[in-house]
């Protein structure tokens, strides 16, 4: 199929989706104090997606209906079960016009009493991963705001080369009145250059309140200081990755740190676990119990507690960096799609962003030299920025019934 044929096919599909939205959705009956509806990211096998959904639910005080592809995509933690319900609509974002129309009919009774509609934007709005889903999210937001619902797209990144169809769809949504909340200054600059009206915020996970110190303690190496290390299945491809990460492990151990190797995503096409397992196996062979694998995906609350007690974090996943930085812990992070640079701008810490590719180990070790030499000074500088970043993140739920963020939920 030629590029022109694919483009025409996509355009016809987009028009059919918009036609389904016009035919099925009805105007908002009246202003309501019912649930806040949240359109979730893909989920299942992604700690970051789980953390995004939990952070929204922990930040608003009322009932929340989370719209997902499949009921198994997200777990509702015990402390949220009295307020959060899951509504599986498999074709709403990823399906064809016929499937979307069917799911819209199932969504309509929920919308009839909904207080608001929010869409988790994350890194799925610019067409870099699944173009159809990016366009469908924006089209749904556009139609709902036209029909009277307050709609926002929460905390998303915007890369330097968005797909034209994704840009076109988001521009229509913005013009209709959808609030576009980008999560870092570089995304804001790019979006404005593309003609989008956006509000600059920070990632909503900075608002998360739950912690699980008991669960984290199960993995901690006693009283010894430790580092968390994650190797992303997306940015760590190639035969040299294992050797490079092994040298990073050797360096961390030589500095007197145990190393906990932690996967953050484990699903087809984006699985951290194979490389993380290989890194831990080689590290264990060289250093014994000083290097250990966490062989499963932990809950976000557990990760936050584990990261808070670490001396340093090395990660290929941005949300592991977020959940470390919120406790003032340095997180040396491999850059992807420009979103990591923007995150580190918020903390005035460009040294924590390293580029992927050959020589990754050299760049990470140089960053470790800087961060660990500064010691508590580095943590203090990051901690000083946490309040300002958290206040930026609060804009994601501004206007909704917010909770008191000073309250920590211990699981």
């Amino acid at each position: 199929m030629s590029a022109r044929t694919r483009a025409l096919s996509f355009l016809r599909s987009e028009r059919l989706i918009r036609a389904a939205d016009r035919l099925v959705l009805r105007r908002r009956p009246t202003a309501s104090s019912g649930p806040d509806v949240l359109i979730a990211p893909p989920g299942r096998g992604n700690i970051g997606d789980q953390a995004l959904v939990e952070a929204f639910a922990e930040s608003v005080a009322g009932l929340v209906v989370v719209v997902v592809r499949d009921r198994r995509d997200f777990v509702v933690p015990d402390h949220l079960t009295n307020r959060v319900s899951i509504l599986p609509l498999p074709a709403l974002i990823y399906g064809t016009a016929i499937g979307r129309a069917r799911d819209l009919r199932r969504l309509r009774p929920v919308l009839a009493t909904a207080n608001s509609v929010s869409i988790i934007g994350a890194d799925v709005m610019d067409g870099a991963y699944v173009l159809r889903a990016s366009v469908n999210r924006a089209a749904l937001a556009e139609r709902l705001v036209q029909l009277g619902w307050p709609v926002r797209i929460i905390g998303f990144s915007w890369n330097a080369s968005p797909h034209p169809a994704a840009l076109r769809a988001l521009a229509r949504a913005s013009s209709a009145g959808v609030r576009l909340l980008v999560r870092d200054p570089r995304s804001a600059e790019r979006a404005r250059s593309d003609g989008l009206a956006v509000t600059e915020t920070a990632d909503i996970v900075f608002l998360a309140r739950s912690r699980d110190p008991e669960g984290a303690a199960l993995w901690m190496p006693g009283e010894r200081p430790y580092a968390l290390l994650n190797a992303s299945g997306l940015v760590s491809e190639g035969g040299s990755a294992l050797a490079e990460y092994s040298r990073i492990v050797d360096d961390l151990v030589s500095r007197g740190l145990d190393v906990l190797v932690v996967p953050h995503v484990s699903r087809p096409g984006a699985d951290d676990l194979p490389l993380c397992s290989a890194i831990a196996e080689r590290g264990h062979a060289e250093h014994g119990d000083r290097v250990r694998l966490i062989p499963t995906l932990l809950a976000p609350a557990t990760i936050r507690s584990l990261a808070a007690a670490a001396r340093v974090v090395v990660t290929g996943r941005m949300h592991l960096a977020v959940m470390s930085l919120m406790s003032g812990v340095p997180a040396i992070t491999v850059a992807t799609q420009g979103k990591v640079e923007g995150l580190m701008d918020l903390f005035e810490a460009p040294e924590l962003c390293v580029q992927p590719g050959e020589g990754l180990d050299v760049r990470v070790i140089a960053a470790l030299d800087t961060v660990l030499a500064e010691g508590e000074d580095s943590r203090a500088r990051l901690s000083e920025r946490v309040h300002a970043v958290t206040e930026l993140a609060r804009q994601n739920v501004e206007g909704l019934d917010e909770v008191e963020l000073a309250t920590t939920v211990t699981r």
Side-chain angles (χ1 to χ4, degrees), residues 10-268:
F10 181 83
L11 183 59
R12 284 193 294 268
S13 174
E14 186 180 357
R15 287 172 177 168
L16 287 171
I17 288 288
R18 291 182 178 278
D21 292 356
R22 289 193 300 271
L23 288 170
V24 178
L25 289 173
R26 302 286 184 265
R27 182 161 293 279
R28 187 185 188 193
T30 57
S32 172
S33 58
D36 293 302
V37 174
L38 180 69
I39 310 296
R44 199 189 303 193
N46 188 320
I47 297 173
D49 285 358
Q50 176 77 28
L52 286 162
V53 170
E54 288 185 21
F56 179 87
E58 290 179 357
S59 301
V60 298
L63 300 177
V64 177
V65 176
V66 182
V67 177
V68 301
R69 287 185 298 179
D70 187 284
R71 191 172 295 279
R72 295 167 294 179
D73 289 344
F74 292 91
V75 176
V76 179
D78 290 344
H79 70 286
L80 293 174
T81 54
N82 63 327
R83 294 195 299 109
V84 176
S85 60
I86 299 292
L87 177 60
L89 298 176
L92 182 68
I93 301 300
Y94 293 89
T96 62
I98 294 174
R100 177 148 162 141
R102 181 191 64 239
D103 282 353
L104 286 172
R105 290 189 184 95
R106 295 179 59 199
L107 181 60
R108 218 162 47 186
V110 177
L111 289 174
T113 62
N115 175 56
S116 68
V117 178
S118 299
I119 297 172
I120 296 289
D123 53 5
V124 293
M125 294 307 302
D126 52 25
Y129 290 123
V130 182
L131 175 61
R132 178 190 298 274
S134 298
V135 171
N136 287 353
R137 287 183 179 92
L140 179 62
E142 176 192 357
R143 186 57 181 157
L144 288 174
V145 82
Q146 289 170 343
L147 294 174
W149 280 273
V151 182
R152 65 188 70 197
I153 299 177
I154 286 176
F156 65 96
S157 301
W158 192 251
N159 73 35
S161 301
H163 193 285
L167 172 57
R168 186 172 62 246
L170 203 59
R172 282 196 295 258
S174 177
S175 296
V178 176
R179 294 188 64 194
L180 305 184
L181 302 161
V182 294
R183 63 185 176 185
D184 67 80
R186 298 203 188 193
S187 289
E189 182 180 357
R190 296 182 193 115
R192 289 175 182 135
S193 295
D194 285 333
L196 299 175
V198 299
T199 299
E200 186 178 326
T201 70
D203 195 284
I204 194 172
V205 172
F206 282 108
L207 302 184
R209 300 180 302 124
S210 56
R211 302 291 185 273
D212 179 20
E214 290 186 3
L218 297 175
W219 302 101
M220 292 177 182
E223 297 298 318
R224 298 194 302 271
Y226 65 88
L228 290 185
L229 183 141
N230 161 264
S232 167
L234 285 178
V235 300
S236 302
E237 297 174 352
S240 64
L242 176 58
E244 289 183 322
Y245 274 101
S246 294
R247 287 191 285 273
I248 294 169
V249 168
D250 292 344
D251 181 80
L252 289 165
V253 173
S254 73
R255 298 173 191 265
L257 299 174
D258 281 18
V259 180
L260 300 181
V261 185
V262 54
H264 201 72
V265 174
S266 184
R267 63 187 183 195

Side-chain angles (χ1 to χ4, degrees), residues 310-361:
R311 185 70 56 84
V312 69
V313 172
V314 177
T315 176
R317 297 290 183 177
M318 193 192 78
H319 275 113
L320 179 53
V322 168
M323 290 191 279
S324 306
L325 291 166
M326 65 194 300
S327 294
V329 175
I332 298 167
T333 311
V334 181
T336 52
Q337 294 190 27
K339 60 187 180 183
V340 174
E341 293 91 337
L343 170 65
M344 297 313 173
D345 284 349
L346 291 172
F347 282 87
E348 301 175 358
E351 70 279 5
L352 297 180
C353 180
V354 296
Q355 295 302 313
E358 186 177 353
L360 175 66
D361 55 330

